[in-house]
C-alpha cells in the first residue's frame, strides 16, 4: 500500500509557512536558497513573501513562505504572522550552541504563550559549519522534543551546500497536510482512538463478504480505490508476510484481519509515511479532525422553523437490523458494552453526553431496549439532523441524506388542515421549581423520581406511546427550567419546534399554581404574537396529597377561560398518571385544538371578526350599488330604444 501523489486530496488552496528564529541563524538565506536553488551573495534582512508553486512538491499544494525579523520592535508583527501560520519553521545555527539553547529557553515557551496551534519544524541551519564533535541531531533534539510535543520534526540543512533545503519546506507542508497529532499518540506510541475507529469503519466497508478479513481481491480493490494502482500478487504476499512476522493474529486463512490492517497503518506512521494513512482516510471522506467532510454530511438543511425531520421507514428498519446484530446475548437490550461496539466506527459514542445519557428507558443492567434505542435516534434527529445522519453513516448506512429523512409539513399548515402526519412529537414541560416536572419525565421512562441525575441544562425524556387504536408514536419531553423561560421566549421561533406544551403545578400549593398560570400566560402570549401557537395541557401533580382548594378552583376557571382542557390530576408516587402521555400525543395530533387564548388574543380575534363583518357589509352594499347601476343602465337603454 503506497501513496500515489496525483492530486490535492487535502483540499487546501495553499500552505502558509512562517520562518522564525534568532538573528543570524540563516532564516533569509534558507528562504532564498529554496526559491532560487542557489546560495545568495547578498541577503536582505527580511525577505518578501516567497511562493513555491503547486508542482514543487508531490502533494500539489502551493506554499507561501513568510520571513520574519526577530528585532524587539517587530515582535507584534512576528506574533501575528505565527498566529496566522499553518506551520512554523524555527531555526537555530548549527555552529552557535547559544541559538540551540534559546529554542527551549525562549522560542518554544513563547510559542506556547501565544497559544500557537500550528505544528513546529525545528531546523538547524549552517550544517556545513557544524563541529563534528557535537552530538548527533537525534541526541541533541530528543530531550527538547520530549518537553515540547508541538515539534513535528527536526532537520539540519545547509543553504550554502544546498543540503536538505527543499526537505525543510516539504516537512513543513507535510506537517500541515499529513499531521501526526490526529493519528498517533507519540507518548503511548500507538494509534489514537479516533484514528482506530475511522480505520475500522474503512476496513468493514472494504470487507465485502463480511468474513472479518480482507482477501487478496479485497486488498487489491482497496489499493486501487485509494491509490489508483493495483497490487501485484508478490506485493500482497509481502505485505501479509511482514504483518505475520510482527503480529501473527494480523493474518488468518481468509486474509488480512482488522488487527493486521491497524498494525500496517501504525507501521507506516512510525516510519514517517503519514501520507499513506491520510490518503486512505481522505479517499473515504475524512477531514483533518478525522470526521466525515461536509460534502459527505450536509450541514445546512432547508426547512421552516416549524418543520422537523424524521427517519424514513427504510432507516427505521435499518436501525432495527443493527440493534439485533449488536444484541449479542439476544436479551432484547443493548448493554453499554454492546452500544460501544455499535458506535466503534464513529469518532465517538454520540450518546455519552448528559443530554442523551439518561433520556431513554434502561433495564437494571443499563441495557437499552429497542424502543429506547429508536427513541434516542429520534431525539438526535430532532436536535441535530446533520449529526444524526453522520452517525447513521458511521454505523454503516449507505443511503443518501434524502433517502434517510422526510421533512414534516409545517405546523401552521397542520393547524389549518386540523391534522398532522407526524410520528415524532416534542412536548415542552413548563412549571415552577418543585412542581414535579422531573418526576413526570422520570415516570415516562418507568423510573422513580429519586433516580434523576441533577443537571444544569434542559432535560429530555424520549419513549414510544401506544395509542388506543394500536399505533405507536415517539414522544419527546423537554423539561424547561423555570429560570430559563424568559430567555427561551426571547427567541421569536422558540415555540416553533414544540408540538404541545404541558404546565405542571403542585396541586397542594396555591403559589405553585400561580407560577404555573403565569408561565401559561407567557407562553400563550408568545404563541399569539409569533404565530407559533401550541396546544397546551395543565397537569395537577401530587394528587395523592392534600389538595389546595384555591389552586383547584382557580386552575379550573383559568383553563375554561382560556379554552383548554381542565387540569389533569396525576400522582407519580401512586403511578396514577391518568393516561397523561397518550393525552399529550392526542393534543399534538390535533394542532387546532387545546390552544389557549389570552384576553389580548380574544380582543384581537373579536376585532378581526368585527372587521371582517364590516368588510362584508361594505362588500354587499357595494355589490347592490353595482347591480343598481347596471339595472338603471338597462332601463335607460330600453327607454331610449322605445322612444
Amino acid at each position: 500500500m503506497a501513496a500515489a501523489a496525483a492530486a490535492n486530496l487535502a483540499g487546501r488552496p495553499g500552505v502558509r509557512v512562517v520562518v522564525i528564529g534568532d538573528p543570524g541563524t540563516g532564516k533569509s538565506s534558507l528562504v532564498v536558497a529554496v526559491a532560487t536553488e542557489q546560495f545568495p551573495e547578498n541577503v536582505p534582512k527580511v525577505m518578501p513573501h516567497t511562493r513555491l508553486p503547486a508542482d514543487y512538491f508531490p502533494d500539489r499544494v502551493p506554499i507561501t513562505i513568510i520571513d520574519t525579523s526577530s528585532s524587539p520592535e517587530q515582535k507584534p508583527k512576528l506574533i501575528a504572522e505565527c498566529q496566522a501560520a499553518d506551520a512554523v519553521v524555527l531555526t537555530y545555527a548549527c555552529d552557535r550552541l547559544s541559538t540551540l539553547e534559546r529554542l527551549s529557553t525562549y522560542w518554544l515557551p513563547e510559542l506556547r504563550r501565544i497559544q500557537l496551534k500550528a505544528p513546529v519544524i525545528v531546523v538547524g541551519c549552517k550544517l556545513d559549519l557544524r563541529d563534528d564533535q557535537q552530538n548527533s541531531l537525534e541526541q541533541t533534539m530528543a530531550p527538547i522534543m520530549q518537553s515540547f510535543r508541538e515539534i513535528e520534526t527536526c532537520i539540519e540543512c545547509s543553504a550554502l551546500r544546498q543540503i536538505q533545503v527543499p526537505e525543510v519546506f516539504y516537512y513543513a507542508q507535510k506537517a500541515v497536510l499529513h499531521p501526526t497529532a490526529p493519528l498517533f499518540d507519540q507518548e503511548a506510541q500507538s494509534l489514537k482512538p479516533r484514528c482506530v475507529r475511522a480505520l475500522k469503519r474503512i476496513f468493514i466497508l472494504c470487507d465485502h463478504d463480511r468474513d472479518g478479513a480482507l482477501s487478496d481481491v479485497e486488498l487489491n480493490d482497496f489499493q486501487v480505490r485509494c491509490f489508483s494502482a493495483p497490487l501485484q500478487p508478490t506485493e500482497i504476499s509481502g505485505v501479509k508476510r511482514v504483518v505475520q512476522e510482527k503480529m501473527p493474529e494480523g493474518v488468518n486463512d481468509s486474509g488480512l484481519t482488522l488487527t493486521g490492517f491497524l498494525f500496517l497503518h501504525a507501521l507506516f506512521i512510525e516510519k514517517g509515511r503519514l501520507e499513506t494513512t491520510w490518503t486512505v482516510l481522505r479517499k473515504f471522506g475524512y477531514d483533518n479532525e478525522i470526521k466525515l467532510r461536509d460534502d459527505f454530511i450536509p450541514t445546512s438543511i432547508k426547512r421552516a422553523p416549524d418543520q422537523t425531520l424524521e427517519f424514513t421507514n427504510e432507516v427505521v428498519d435499518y436501525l432495527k437490523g443493527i440493534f439485533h446484530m449488536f444484541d449479542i446475548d439476544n436479551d432484547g437490550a443493548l448493554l453499554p458494552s454492546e452500544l460501544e461496539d455499535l458506535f466503534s466506527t464513529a469518532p465517538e459514542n454520540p450518546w455519552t453526553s448528559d443530554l442523551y445519557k439518561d433520556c431513554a428507558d434502561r433495564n437494571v443492567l443499563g441495557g437499552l431496549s429497542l424502543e429506547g434505542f429508536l427513541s434516542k435516534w429520534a431525539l438526535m434527529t430532532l436536535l441535530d439532523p446533520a449529526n444524526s445522519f453522520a452517525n447513521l453513516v458511521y454505523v454503516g448506512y449507505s443511503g443518501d441524506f434524502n433517502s434517510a429523512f422526510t421533512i414534516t409539513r409545517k405546523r401552521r399548515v397542520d393547524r389549518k388542515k386540523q391534522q398532522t402526519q407526524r410520528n415524532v412529537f416534542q412536548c415542552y414541560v413548563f412549571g415552577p421549581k418543585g412542581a414535579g416536572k422531573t418526576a413526570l419525565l422520570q415516570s415516562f421512562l418507568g423510573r422513580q423520581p429519586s433516580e434523576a441525575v441533577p443537571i444544569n441544562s434542559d432535560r429530555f425524556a424520549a419513549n414510544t406511546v401506544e395509542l388506543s387504536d394500536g399505533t405507536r408514536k415517539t414522544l419527546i419531553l423537554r423539561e424547561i427550567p423555570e429560570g430559563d423561560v424568559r430567555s427561551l421566549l426571547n427567541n421569536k421561533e422558540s415555540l416553533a419546534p414544540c408540538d404541545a406544551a404541558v404546565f405542571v403545578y403542585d396541586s397542594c400549593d396555591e403559589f405553585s399554581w400561580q407560577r404555573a398560570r403565569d408561565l401559561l400566560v407567557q407562553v400563550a402570549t408568545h404563541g399569539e404574537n409569533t404565530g407559533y401557537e401550541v396546544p397546551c395541557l395543565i397537569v395537577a401533580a401530587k394528587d395523592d396529597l392534600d389538595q389546595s382548594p384555591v389552586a383547584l378552583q382557580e386552575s379550573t376557571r383559568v383553563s375554561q377561560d382560556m379554552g383548554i382542557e381542565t387540569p389533569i390530576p396525576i400522582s407519580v408516587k401512586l403511578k396514577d398518571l391518568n393516561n397523561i402521555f397518550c393525552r399529550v400525543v392526542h393534543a399534538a395530533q390535533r394542532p387546532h385544538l387545546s390552544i389557549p387564548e389570552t384576553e389580548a388574543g380574544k380582543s384581537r380575534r373579536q376585532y378581526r371578526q368585527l372587521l371582517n363583518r364590516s368588510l362584508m357589509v361594505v362588500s354587499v352594499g357595494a355589490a347592490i350599488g353595482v347591480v343598481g347601476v347596471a339595472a338603471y343602465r338597462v332601463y335607460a337603454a330600453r327607454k331610449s330604444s322605445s322612444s
Side-chain angles (χ1 to χ4, degrees), residues 444 465-468 475 537 578-589:
F444 186 42
V465 176
E466 185 171 358
L467 303 178
S468 55
L475 177 61
L537 298 174
N578 211 343
N579 214 21
I580 180 62
F581 305 118
C582 282
R583 292 166 86 158
V584 170
V585 172
H586 280 306
Q589 284 182 314

Side-chain angles (χ1 to χ4, degrees), residues 1 199 202-203 206 208 214-229 231 256 261 264-265 268 276-277 279-281 283-284:
M1 295 191 295
L199 291 174
I202 291 167
F203 178 89
C206 296
H208 303 303
L214 298 183
S215 65
D216 290 0
V217 172
E218 289 167 337
L219 260 178
N220 195 56
D221 289 345
F222 165 81
Q223 174 75 12
V224 170
R225 176 170 177 175
C226 293
F227 307 111
S228 305
L231 283 171
L256 186 72
F261 187 72
L264 270 180
H265 283 281
F268 291 141
T276 301
T277 300
T279 299
V280 170
L281 291 169
K283 280 289 185 179
F284 280 85

Side-chain angles (χ1 to χ4, degrees), residues 32-295:
V32 176
V34 75
T36 64
E37 297 184 0
Q38 56 186 339
F39 185 73
E41 292 292 333
N42 299 305
V43 184
K45 287 186 177 180
V46 178
M47 284 289 295
H49 291 191
T50 303
R51 190 175 187 274
L52 302 182
D55 59 0
Y56 198 94
F57 292 123
D59 282 299
R60 303 193 63 79
V61 178
I63 299 176
T64 301
I65 305 171
I66 293 94
D67 192 11
T68 61
S69 168
S70 47
S71 63
E73 59 271 15
Q74 293 294 316
K75 185 174 180 179
K77 185 177 180 182
L78 183 144
I79 291 173
E81 291 289 8
C82 286
Q83 290 174 331
D86 295 317
V88 169
V89 166
L90 174 57
T91 63
Y92 68 93
C94 290
D95 62 335
R96 287 165 54 200
L97 287 176
S98 60
T99 62
L100 176 62
E101 291 166 2
R102 287 258 297 168
L103 298 184
S104 50
T105 59
Y106 173 74
W107 284 106
L108 290 165
E110 179 66 11
L111 293 177
R112 279 189 179 175
R113 187 189 67 79
I114 66 172
Q115 298 181 334
L116 179 78
K117 302 298 182 189
V120 177
I121 313 298
V122 172
V123 179
C125 298
K126 306 184 183 183
L127 176 60
D128 53 294
L129 300 178
R130 192 176 190 275
D131 185 350
D132 290 339
Q133 302 301 313
Q134 288 177 230
N135 290 333
S136 68
L137 175 64
E138 189 174 337
Q139 291 172 317
T140 301
M141 292 307 304
I144 299 176
M145 292 185 75
Q146 191 70 28
S147 301
F148 297 93
R149 294 285 179 181
E150 55 268 47
I151 298 174
E152 186 78 14
T153 193
C154 302
I155 185 172
E156 292 178 330
C157 70
S158 168
L160 177 66
R161 304 293 183 201
Q162 287 290 303
I163 300 171
Q164 296 199 131
V165 171
E167 283 84 347
V168 169
F169 296 96
Y170 170 73
Y171 284 124
Q173 184 194 65
K174 186 178 176 181
V176 178
L177 303 183
H178 315 300
T180 304
L183 303 183
F184 201 73
D185 186 328
Q186 300 276 22
E187 217 160 298
Q189 286 293 295
S190 62
L191 296 173
K192 285 193 172 178
R194 189 175 282 190
C195 178
V196 171
R197 287 166 170 262
L199 291 174
K200 181 179 178 181
R201 174 175 171 266
I202 291 167
F203 178 89
I204 291 170
L205 290 174
C206 296
D207 180 18
H208 303 303
D209 56 9
R210 297 288 185 270
D211 65 348
L214 298 183
S215 65
D216 290 0
V217 172
E218 289 167 337
L219 260 178
N220 195 56
D221 289 345
F222 165 81
Q223 174 75 12
V224 170
R225 176 170 177 175
C226 293
F227 307 111
S228 305
L231 283 171
Q232 298 302 316
T234 53
E235 292 175 307
I236 293 175
S237 300
V239 166
K240 291 195 290 187
R241 187 169 55 253
V242 168
V243 173
Q244 202 158 27
E245 286 173 1
K246 301 286 185 181
M247 190 164 287
E249 65 270 30
V251 177
N252 63 21
D253 293 341
S254 301
L256 186 72
T257 66
L258 174 61
T259 302
F261 187 72
L262 295 174
F263 168 77
L264 270 180
H265 283 281
L267 189 64
F268 291 141
I269 293 167
E270 285 176 16
K271 291 184 177 296
R273 291 172 55 189
L274 289 96
E275 62 275 13
T276 301
T277 300
W278 275 116
T279 299
V280 170
L281 291 169
R282 286 172 180 141
K283 280 289 185 179
F284 280 85
Y286 287 90
D287 61 16
N288 272 18
E289 294 180 357
I290 317 189
K291 289 186 174 182
L292 289 175
R293 297 191 306 266
D294 290 351
D295 53 323

